[in-house]
Amino acid sequence: MPENDFVQETTMRSRGIPLFQDGGLAEEDMARINELAPSPLKPEQVYARSMFLCSTQPCDSDGCRFTRSALESVAQFIIGQSVLCGHNRNSLPLARFYKASVVERGAGEEGEPVYFVRAWFYWLRETSGAKDLLLNIDGGIYREVSLAWKYDSWRCSICQAENGRCGHLPGSLYDGKKCYRLIEGVIDVLEGSLVYKSADRHTYLTGVHAERGEQETPPLLAICRRDDPMLAYLESIGAVSDKQELDERETPLRESAENLWARCSCIEDVHRYAHRFLADRGICLGEILPCGGNDSAMAGSTVGIMRRSGVIGDIDLCQRGEDGDA
């Protein structure tokens, strides 16, 4: 195997079909919802989704950056608050937050862990516009989110001085480092909104599954060369959650992939990776890239492979027409 091949694990999000299927709410979710509802509600009376609402990433638009402790305060204050549209506080709520937690998602530019507040919200199925809201969320039309909050204390990211006593200006560069307000003292959360563009990167609407051990879409295990332009594209849109060099030793990924995407120069390599990484009833999409490498190839001819009861076999794939429709 070429030394510069590697395996990456990435979650792919398709917006062609509704992404979050209703599977019922857990008892814990309903208990939390009913702490807010004056009259007891049943699972069949509500819709629920969640959002990654804010993070410890720096925000260039306001020069602020939440600390981990600030996110814990946000997760506490957001419960019971309203979900609005465009921070319009003259309108009635679309939904209401009923639980939240701080979760780790990836790493920052310097390798530090990045934390997000994930907040769950619900709304009533039988109200006007309820199904429209569901369809727009699940179809990707409503996607970006934003938080309205208050704070009373912060530190300078350059020198750690409190509340601007040092004179460093947020947004300015000092010895190549940008100054931010490190927010610590969050004292209130006003609401969370659906917006046209998030100020905080990688904050968006998502499903409700997490604490029930489910996934919106199973992670996709993709195998390609280090210089594959497809890898560069996936990283540019934030779709790569992890990557590592691929070697011939036993790895935790062996026979673990429900979905495998192998971009190789020959069908033999695709079959070899399918044998190594596909879980039972897993499916592999193999792309055979043009000879001479894949330095500029974004797509090649395709083959489908499935593992069933330990046996690897080819499967038929729908052919794509000239007009681009499957």
Side-chain angles (χ1 to χ4, degrees), residues 54-94:
C54 56
S55 75
T56 54
Q57 299 174 111
C59 181
D60 290 330
S61 65
D62 61 10
C64 293
R65 185 172 190 174
F66 285 119
T67 60
R68 170 70 188 270
S69 62
L71 293 190
E72 296 288 354
S73 297
V74 171
Q76 175 185 352
F77 289 134
I78 195 65
I79 297 173
Q81 300 299 333
S82 298
V83 178
L84 301 181
C85 181
H87 296 298
N88 183 2
R89 294 171 208 163
N90 293 321
S91 65
L92 294 175
L94 300 173

Side-chain angles (χ1 to χ4, degrees), residues 155-290:
R155 289 183 289 110
C156 171
S157 67
I158 300 297
C159 67
Q160 307 300 308
E162 294 184 353
N163 299 326
R165 294 190 178 99
C166 57
H168 290 130
L169 298 177
S172 298
L173 292 176
Y174 298 91
D175 295 328
K177 291 186 176 181
K178 184 173 286 191
C179 179
Y180 292 99
R181 297 183 184 91
L182 296 178
I183 305 299
E184 291 185 323
V186 174
I187 59 173
D188 197 9
V189 168
L190 304 178
E191 42 86 7
S193 279
L194 313 185
V195 295
Y196 77 96
K197 183 66 175 178
S198 300
D200 198 342
R201 291 170 294 160
H202 309 309
T203 53
Y204 56 84
L205 293 157
T206 185
V208 73
H209 71 82
E211 294 190 355
R212 292 186 287 152
E214 301 174 357
Q215 294 178 328
E216 295 140 17
T217 52
L220 176 74
L221 183 67
I223 298 173
C224 62
R225 291 175 59 90
R226 180 185 298 153
D227 58 358
D228 192 328
M230 182 62 74
L231 171 62
Y233 169 72
L234 293 175
E235 289 184 311
S236 73
I237 63 173
V240 176
S241 62
D242 186 30
K243 69 180 181 182
Q244 65 186 64
E245 298 291 334
L246 183 62
D247 56 40
E248 295 301 327
R249 295 174 296 178
E250 289 287 336
T251 73
L253 298 175
R254 185 175 292 275
E255 296 186 7
S256 66
E258 296 180 37
N259 296 312
L260 177 65
W261 181 16
R263 287 169 57 84
C264 305
S265 58
C266 64
I267 186 64
E268 289 79 13
D269 280 347
V270 174
H271 276 272
R272 179 157 61 93
Y273 293 137
H275 273 282
R276 185 177 178 187
F277 294 111
L278 269 188
D280 193 46
R281 303 189 71 81
I283 295 178
C284 170
L285 173 66
E287 281 194 89
I288 314 304
L289 298 170

Side-chain angles (χ1 to χ4, degrees), residues 13 15 136-137 140-145 195 198 203-205:
R13 296 184 175 89
R15 292 296 173 174
N136 279 303
I137 292 174
I141 305 303
Y142 297 167
R143 177 168 172 80
E144 312 269 331
V145 298
V195 295
S198 300
T203 53
Y204 56 84
L205 293 157

